[in-house]
Amino acid sequence: MECPLAISTKPKIGFFGAIASWLDLKPLLVLMDKNYLVEMVGPVSHIEFPVLTQHKNFKYFGILPHKDLAIIASTWKCGMIPFVESPLTQCVDPVKLYEYSILGLPIVATDLKEIHYVADTMPILAKPYLVPAKHPITFYHNVKQAIEEDNDEKRKSRIAWAKTQTWKMRVDAVLSALDLEKWIPYDT
């Protein structure tokens, strides 16, 4: 495998996860046509994937161990969540928001209900750039803006927010909402 840390004059934009029918390939094609290098990691089950692999500004790493994702992503200028709008994507928990945030990456994502819900819990400096579905040119402009506006303070804010997203925090929120804390002993 070619060294993922190879120097590139083109900004690298990345995605890791399942490359499947819920991904919108149009924003990726726009990014590549605008001379961004799009890198992807993960299993492929998307019928149109060859459209990407034939582009000169595309790199596919295949399926990698989780421990290697941070190495690959360390060269990215932005993480992306280019989902199509569908019943499935309207209900998915956007785990990539947490994953990209813990790496400090700015995020550009399709503005879907669940992504918007999680983004509303993030501090202003950590918030992703949300794009209405079916707007690949806007996706490109938001990637460009995310890269231009990124700085150390924003990266630290994303990392700090991601560190608060624990299972304990979620259990505590559920117990608090249900007012069960007085009934169920729970040690910290």
Side-chain angles (χ1 to χ4, degrees):
M1 174 171 85
E2 181 183 326
C3 176
L5 302 178
I7 302 298
S8 172
T9 57
K10 301 172 187 177
K12 294 181 182 181
I13 313 304
F15 174 87
F16 49 70
I19 302 162
S21 61
W22 52 77
L23 287 184
D24 187 354
L25 303 184
K26 291 183 284 308
L28 282 59
L29 292 169
V30 170
L31 286 166
M32 292 185 296
D33 288 344
K34 298 285 188 180
N35 216 27
Y36 286 78
L37 182 61
V38 171
E39 297 186 339
M40 297 182 88
V41 179
V44 176
S45 64
H46 197 290
I47 191 166
E48 298 175 29
F49 189 66
V51 169
L52 299 177
T53 60
Q54 296 166 6
H55 202 289
K56 67 179 181 168
N57 288 329
F58 181 78
K59 181 156 182 130
Y60 175 61
F61 289 98
I63 301 170
L64 297 176
H66 281 98
K67 65 180 179 57
D68 293 344
L69 295 179
I71 295 168
I72 301 288
S74 71
T75 66
W76 295 352
K77 296 292 185 184
C78 184
M80 61 181 169
I81 308 173
F83 288 171
V84 297
E85 190 172 351
S86 72
L88 172 68
T89 60
Q90 286 295 352
C91 299
V92 70
D93 181 15
V95 175
K96 279 165 202 10
L97 282 177
Y98 311 108
E99 294 169 334
Y100 295 154
S101 292
I102 198 67
L103 298 172
L105 290 171
I107 303 161
V108 175
T110 305
D111 189 5
L112 300 171
K113 183 175 81 175
E114 286 297 316
I115 292 176
H116 202 278
Y117 173 76
V118 173
D120 285 347
T121 70
M122 300 171 86
I124 192 73
L125 290 178
K127 286 193 181 294
Y129 296 77
L130 300 177
V131 181
K134 301 182 182 112
H135 288 83
I137 298 298
T138 306
F139 201 95
Y140 154 72
H141 286 295
N142 282 18
V143 166
K144 185 177 178 191
Q145 182 180 0
I147 293 170
E148 289 171 356
E149 294 178 353
D150 194 32
N151 59 45
D152 285 342
E153 184 181 13
K154 287 183 176 186
R155 285 183 175 262
K156 288 176 184 174
S157 180
R158 289 182 205 107
I159 293 167
W161 172 81
K163 286 180 178 180
T164 68
Q165 302 306 301
T166 66
W167 280 111
K168 181 189 179 321
M169 181 265 321
R170 291 175 182 218
V171 168
D172 288 347
V174 169
L175 292 176
S176 177
L178 297 174
D179 199 22
L180 294 177
E181 289 177 310
K182 62 185 173 191
W183 304 107
I184 300 173
Y186 182 69
D187 293 330
T188 54

PDB file of all heavy atoms in Angstrom, residues 103-126:
ATOM      1  N   LEU A 103     -10.964  13.231  16.215  1.00  0.00           N
ATOM      2  CA  LEU A 103      -9.731  13.457  15.450  1.00  0.00           C
ATOM      3  C   LEU A 103      -9.491  14.948  15.203  1.00  0.00           C
ATOM      4  O   LEU A 103      -8.490  15.324  14.599  1.00  0.00           O
ATOM      5  CB  LEU A 103      -9.795  12.701  14.119  1.00  0.00           C
ATOM      6  CG  LEU A 103      -9.896  11.180  14.245  1.00  0.00           C
ATOM      7  CD1 LEU A 103     -10.161  10.539  12.887  1.00  0.00           C
ATOM      8  CD2 LEU A 103      -8.645  10.602  14.891  1.00  0.00           C
ATOM      9  N   GLY A 104     -10.446  15.793  15.629  1.00  0.00           N
ATOM     10  CA  GLY A 104     -10.312  17.239  15.465  1.00  0.00           C
ATOM     11  C   GLY A 104     -10.708  17.760  14.092  1.00  0.00           C
ATOM     12  O   GLY A 104     -10.563  18.940  13.820  1.00  0.00           O
ATOM     13  N   LEU A 105     -11.205  16.894  13.237  1.00  0.00           N
ATOM     14  CA  LEU A 105     -11.505  17.290  11.855  1.00  0.00           C
ATOM     15  C   LEU A 105     -12.744  18.162  11.735  1.00  0.00           C
ATOM     16  O   LEU A 105     -13.756  17.897  12.383  1.00  0.00           O
ATOM     17  CB  LEU A 105     -11.739  16.045  10.983  1.00  0.00           C
ATOM     18  CG  LEU A 105     -10.534  15.180  10.683  1.00  0.00           C
ATOM     19  CD1 LEU A 105     -10.977  13.880  10.007  1.00  0.00           C
ATOM     20  CD2 LEU A 105      -9.552  15.941   9.802  1.00  0.00           C
ATOM     21  N   PRO A 106     -12.697  19.181  10.869  1.00  0.00           N
ATOM     22  CA  PRO A 106     -13.942  19.847  10.515  1.00  0.00           C
ATOM     23  C   PRO A 106     -14.795  18.850   9.729  1.00  0.00           C
ATOM     24  O   PRO A 106     -14.263  17.948   9.081  1.00  0.00           O
ATOM     25  CB  PRO A 106     -13.507  21.020   9.639  1.00  0.00           C
ATOM     26  CG  PRO A 106     -12.140  20.701   9.173  1.00  0.00           C
ATOM     27  CD  PRO A 106     -11.545  19.732  10.169  1.00  0.00           C
ATOM     28  N   ILE A 107     -16.098  19.006   9.808  1.00  0.00           N
ATOM     29  CA  ILE A 107     -17.012  18.035   9.204  1.00  0.00           C
ATOM     30  C   ILE A 107     -18.005  18.750   8.307  1.00  0.00           C
ATOM     31  O   ILE A 107     -18.582  19.766   8.697  1.00  0.00           O
ATOM     32  CB  ILE A 107     -17.789  17.275  10.301  1.00  0.00           C
ATOM     33  CG1 ILE A 107     -16.824  16.580  11.263  1.00  0.00           C
ATOM     34  CG2 ILE A 107     -18.777  16.277   9.689  1.00  0.00           C
ATOM     35  CD1 ILE A 107     -17.447  16.216  12.596  1.00  0.00           C
ATOM     36  N   VAL A 108     -18.210  18.183   7.127  1.00  0.00           N
ATOM     37  CA  VAL A 108     -19.289  18.627   6.251  1.00  0.00           C
ATOM     38  C   VAL A 108     -20.210  17.429   6.084  1.00  0.00           C
ATOM     39  O   VAL A 108     -19.764  16.337   5.738  1.00  0.00           O
ATOM     40  CB  VAL A 108     -18.769  19.138   4.890  1.00  0.00           C
ATOM     41  CG1 VAL A 108     -19.934  19.484   3.970  1.00  0.00           C
ATOM     42  CG2 VAL A 108     -17.869  20.350   5.090  1.00  0.00           C
ATOM     43  N   ALA A 109     -21.485  17.653   6.364  1.00  0.00           N
ATOM     44  CA  ALA A 109     -22.453  16.557   6.354  1.00  0.00           C
ATOM     45  C   ALA A 109     -23.756  16.985   5.695  1.00  0.00           C
ATOM     46  O   ALA A 109     -24.113  18.165   5.719  1.00  0.00           O
ATOM     47  CB  ALA A 109     -22.742  16.101   7.784  1.00  0.00           C
ATOM     48  N   THR A 110     -24.450  16.005   5.152  1.00  0.00           N
ATOM     49  CA  THR A 110     -25.796  16.235   4.669  1.00  0.00           C
ATOM     50  C   THR A 110     -26.671  16.601   5.870  1.00  0.00           C
ATOM     51  O   THR A 110     -26.558  16.001   6.935  1.00  0.00           O
ATOM     52  CB  THR A 110     -26.348  14.958   4.000  1.00  0.00           C
ATOM     53  OG1 THR A 110     -25.426  14.554   2.981  1.00  0.00           O
ATOM     54  CG2 THR A 110     -27.702  15.210   3.377  1.00  0.00           C
ATOM     55  N   ASP A 111     -27.530  17.582   5.697  1.00  0.00           N
ATOM     56  CA  ASP A 111     -28.377  18.073   6.793  1.00  0.00           C
ATOM     57  C   ASP A 111     -29.594  17.173   6.963  1.00  0.00           C
ATOM     58  O   ASP A 111     -30.690  17.488   6.527  1.00  0.00           O
ATOM     59  CB  ASP A 111     -28.807  19.509   6.500  1.00  0.00           C
ATOM     60  CG  ASP A 111     -29.500  20.160   7.678  1.00  0.00           C
ATOM     61  OD1 ASP A 111     -29.560  19.539   8.758  1.00  0.00           O
ATOM     62  OD2 ASP A 111     -29.982  21.291   7.522  1.00  0.00           O
ATOM     63  N   LEU A 112     -29.376  16.043   7.621  1.00  0.00           N
ATOM     64  CA  LEU A 112     -30.452  15.102   7.911  1.00  0.00           C
ATOM     65  C   LEU A 112     -30.866  15.242   9.372  1.00  0.00           C
ATOM     66  O   LEU A 112     -30.107  15.741  10.202  1.00  0.00           O
ATOM     67  CB  LEU A 112     -29.997  13.675   7.614  1.00  0.00           C
ATOM     68  CG  LEU A 112     -29.586  13.421   6.156  1.00  0.00           C
ATOM     69  CD1 LEU A 112     -28.950  12.061   6.014  1.00  0.00           C
ATOM     70  CD2 LEU A 112     -30.775  13.567   5.227  1.00  0.00           C
ATOM     71  N   LYS A 113     -32.055  14.777   9.693  1.00  0.00           N
ATOM     72  CA  LYS A 113     -32.639  14.965  11.020  1.00  0.00           C
ATOM     73  C   LYS A 113     -31.699  14.540  12.147  1.00  0.00           C
ATOM     74  O   LYS A 113     -31.437  15.307  13.069  1.00  0.00           O
ATOM     75  CB  LYS A 113     -33.974  14.217  11.104  1.00  0.00           C
ATOM     76  CG  LYS A 113     -34.701  14.421  12.422  1.00  0.00           C
ATOM     77  CD  LYS A 113     -36.058  13.764  12.406  1.00  0.00           C
ATOM     78  CE  LYS A 113     -35.891  12.297  12.696  1.00  0.00           C
ATOM     79  NZ  LYS A 113     -37.145  11.567  12.823  1.00  0.00           N
ATOM     80  N   GLU A 114     -31.189  13.336  12.103  1.00  0.00           N
ATOM     81  CA  GLU A 114     -30.351  12.847  13.193  1.00  0.00           C
ATOM     82  C   GLU A 114     -29.002  13.560  13.247  1.00  0.00           C
ATOM     83  O   GLU A 114     -28.468  13.798  14.325  1.00  0.00           O
ATOM     84  CB  GLU A 114     -30.161  11.328  13.093  1.00  0.00           C
ATOM     85  CG  GLU A 114     -31.394  10.549  13.481  1.00  0.00           C
ATOM     86  CD  GLU A 114     -31.814  10.756  14.934  1.00  0.00           C
ATOM     87  OE1 GLU A 114     -30.958  10.738  15.833  1.00  0.00           O
ATOM     88  OE2 GLU A 114     -33.017  10.945  15.163  1.00  0.00           O
ATOM     89  N   ILE A 115     -28.458  13.881  12.094  1.00  0.00           N
ATOM     90  CA  ILE A 115     -27.191  14.623  12.076  1.00  0.00           C
ATOM     91  C   ILE A 115     -27.426  16.009  12.679  1.00  0.00           C
ATOM     92  O   ILE A 115     -26.630  16.498  13.473  1.00  0.00           O
ATOM     93  CB  ILE A 115     -26.613  14.698  10.650  1.00  0.00           C
ATOM     94  CG1 ILE A 115     -26.162  13.296  10.207  1.00  0.00           C
ATOM     95  CG2 ILE A 115     -25.462  15.691  10.579  1.00  0.00           C
ATOM     96  CD1 ILE A 115     -25.662  13.208   8.785  1.00  0.00           C
ATOM     97  N   HIS A 116     -28.529  16.625  12.308  1.00  0.00           N
ATOM     98  CA  HIS A 116     -28.872  17.943  12.847  1.00  0.00           C
ATOM     99  C   HIS A 116     -29.081  17.867  14.359  1.00  0.00           C
ATOM    100  O   HIS A 116     -28.625  18.736  15.107  1.00  0.00           O
ATOM    101  CB  HIS A 116     -30.130  18.473  12.156  1.00  0.00           C
ATOM    102  CG  HIS A 116     -30.260  19.945  12.242  1.00  0.00           C
ATOM    103  ND1 HIS A 116     -30.765  20.596  13.344  1.00  0.00           N
ATOM    104  CD2 HIS A 116     -29.923  20.910  11.359  1.00  0.00           C
ATOM    105  CE1 HIS A 116     -30.757  21.887  13.132  1.00  0.00           C
ATOM    106  NE2 HIS A 116     -30.254  22.109  11.950  1.00  0.00           N
ATOM    107  N   TYR A 117     -29.746  16.823  14.825  1.00  0.00           N
ATOM    108  CA  TYR A 117     -29.995  16.640  16.268  1.00  0.00           C
ATOM    109  C   TYR A 117     -28.671  16.580  17.043  1.00  0.00           C
ATOM    110  O   TYR A 117     -28.506  17.259  18.054  1.00  0.00           O
ATOM    111  CB  TYR A 117     -30.817  15.368  16.510  1.00  0.00           C
ATOM    112  CG  TYR A 117     -30.950  15.034  17.965  1.00  0.00           C
ATOM    113  CD1 TYR A 117     -31.823  15.734  18.789  1.00  0.00           C
ATOM    114  CD2 TYR A 117     -30.183  14.013  18.532  1.00  0.00           C
ATOM    115  CE1 TYR A 117     -31.918  15.436  20.141  1.00  0.00           C
ATOM    116  CE2 TYR A 117     -30.284  13.719  19.880  1.00  0.00           C
ATOM    117  CZ  TYR A 117     -31.147  14.432  20.676  1.00  0.00           C
ATOM    118  OH  TYR A 117     -31.231  14.132  22.007  1.00  0.00           O
ATOM    119  N   VAL A 118     -27.734  15.773  16.577  1.00  0.00           N
ATOM    120  CA  VAL A 118     -26.445  15.661  17.268  1.00  0.00           C
ATOM    121  C   VAL A 118     -25.678  16.974  17.160  1.00  0.00           C
ATOM    122  O   VAL A 118     -25.093  17.446  18.140  1.00  0.00           O
ATOM    123  CB  VAL A 118     -25.602  14.484  16.721  1.00  0.00           C
ATOM    124  CG1 VAL A 118     -24.209  14.478  17.329  1.00  0.00           C
ATOM    125  CG2 VAL A 118     -26.304  13.165  16.992  1.00  0.00           C
ATOM    126  N   ALA A 119     -25.704  17.587  15.989  1.00  0.00           N
ATOM    127  CA  ALA A 119     -24.984  18.852  15.800  1.00  0.00           C
ATOM    128  C   ALA A 119     -25.485  19.930  16.756  1.00  0.00           C
ATOM    129  O   ALA A 119     -24.714  20.769  17.217  1.00  0.00           O
ATOM    130  CB  ALA A 119     -25.118  19.313  14.357  1.00  0.00           C
ATOM    131  N   ASP A 120     -26.772  19.889  17.086  1.00  0.00           N
ATOM    132  CA  ASP A 120     -27.331  20.878  18.016  1.00  0.00           C
ATOM    133  C   ASP A 120     -26.783  20.732  19.431  1.00  0.00           C
ATOM    134  O   ASP A 120     -26.897  21.659  20.235  1.00  0.00           O
ATOM    135  CB  ASP A 120     -28.861  20.777  18.047  1.00  0.00           C
ATOM    136  CG  ASP A 120     -29.513  21.383  16.810  1.00  0.00           C
ATOM    137  OD1 ASP A 120     -28.818  22.095  16.054  1.00  0.00           O
ATOM    138  OD2 ASP A 120     -30.715  21.137  16.597  1.00  0.00           O
ATOM    139  N   THR A 121     -26.172  19.585  19.756  1.00  0.00           N
ATOM    140  CA  THR A 121     -25.591  19.378  21.087  1.00  0.00           C
ATOM    141  C   THR A 121     -24.127  19.819  21.143  1.00  0.00           C
ATOM    142  O   THR A 121     -23.527  19.819  22.205  1.00  0.00           O
ATOM    143  CB  THR A 121     -25.663  17.899  21.512  1.00  0.00           C
ATOM    144  OG1 THR A 121     -24.750  17.127  20.718  1.00  0.00           O
ATOM    145  CG2 THR A 121     -27.072  17.348  21.398  1.00  0.00           C
ATOM    146  N   MET A 122     -23.572  20.176  19.988  1.00  0.00           N
ATOM    147  CA  MET A 122     -22.153  20.503  19.920  1.00  0.00           C
ATOM    148  C   MET A 122     -21.918  21.985  20.202  1.00  0.00           C
ATOM    149  O   MET A 122     -22.753  22.819  19.859  1.00  0.00           O
ATOM    150  CB  MET A 122     -21.608  20.160  18.527  1.00  0.00           C
ATOM    151  CG  MET A 122     -21.758  18.695  18.165  1.00  0.00           C
ATOM    152  SD  MET A 122     -21.368  18.347  16.436  1.00  0.00           S
ATOM    153  CE  MET A 122     -19.600  18.130  16.555  1.00  0.00           C
ATOM    154  N   PRO A 123     -20.770  22.328  20.817  1.00  0.00           N
ATOM    155  CA  PRO A 123     -20.457  23.740  21.001  1.00  0.00           C
ATOM    156  C   PRO A 123     -20.273  24.414  19.637  1.00  0.00           C
ATOM    157  O   PRO A 123     -19.943  23.756  18.648  1.00  0.00           O
ATOM    158  CB  PRO A 123     -19.151  23.726  21.792  1.00  0.00           C
ATOM    159  CG  PRO A 123     -18.631  22.343  21.712  1.00  0.00           C
ATOM    160  CD  PRO A 123     -19.751  21.437  21.325  1.00  0.00           C
ATOM    161  N   ILE A 124     -20.486  25.703  19.596  1.00  0.00           N
ATOM    162  CA  ILE A 124     -20.475  26.445  18.330  1.00  0.00           C
ATOM    163  C   ILE A 124     -19.188  26.223  17.533  1.00  0.00           C
ATOM    164  O   ILE A 124     -19.223  26.090  16.314  1.00  0.00           O
ATOM    165  CB  ILE A 124     -20.750  27.953  18.569  1.00  0.00           C
ATOM    166  CG1 ILE A 124     -21.037  28.663  17.244  1.00  0.00           C
ATOM    167  CG2 ILE A 124     -19.612  28.625  19.294  1.00  0.00           C
ATOM    168  CD1 ILE A 124     -22.364  28.369  16.640  1.00  0.00           C
ATOM    169  N   LEU A 125     -18.057  26.149  18.200  1.00  0.00           N
ATOM    170  CA  LEU A 125     -16.785  25.975  17.480  1.00  0.00           C
ATOM    171  C   LEU A 125     -16.634  24.575  16.891  1.00  0.00           C
ATOM    172  O   LEU A 125     -15.832  24.365  15.989  1.00  0.00           O
ATOM    173  CB  LEU A 125     -15.599  26.273  18.397  1.00  0.00           C
ATOM    174  CG  LEU A 125     -15.415  27.728  18.793  1.00  0.00           C
ATOM    175  CD1 LEU A 125     -14.242  27.869  19.750  1.00  0.00           C
ATOM    176  CD2 LEU A 125     -15.206  28.612  17.573  1.00  0.00           C
ATOM    177  N   ALA A 126     -17.385  23.615  17.402  1.00  0.00           N
ATOM    178  CA  ALA A 126     -17.256  22.232  16.938  1.00  0.00           C
ATOM    179  C   ALA A 126     -18.298  21.863  15.899  1.00  0.00           C
ATOM    180  O   ALA A 126     -18.219  20.812  15.287  1.00  0.00           O
ATOM    181  CB  ALA A 126     -17.365  21.276  18.127  1.00  0.00           C
TER     182      ALA A 126
END
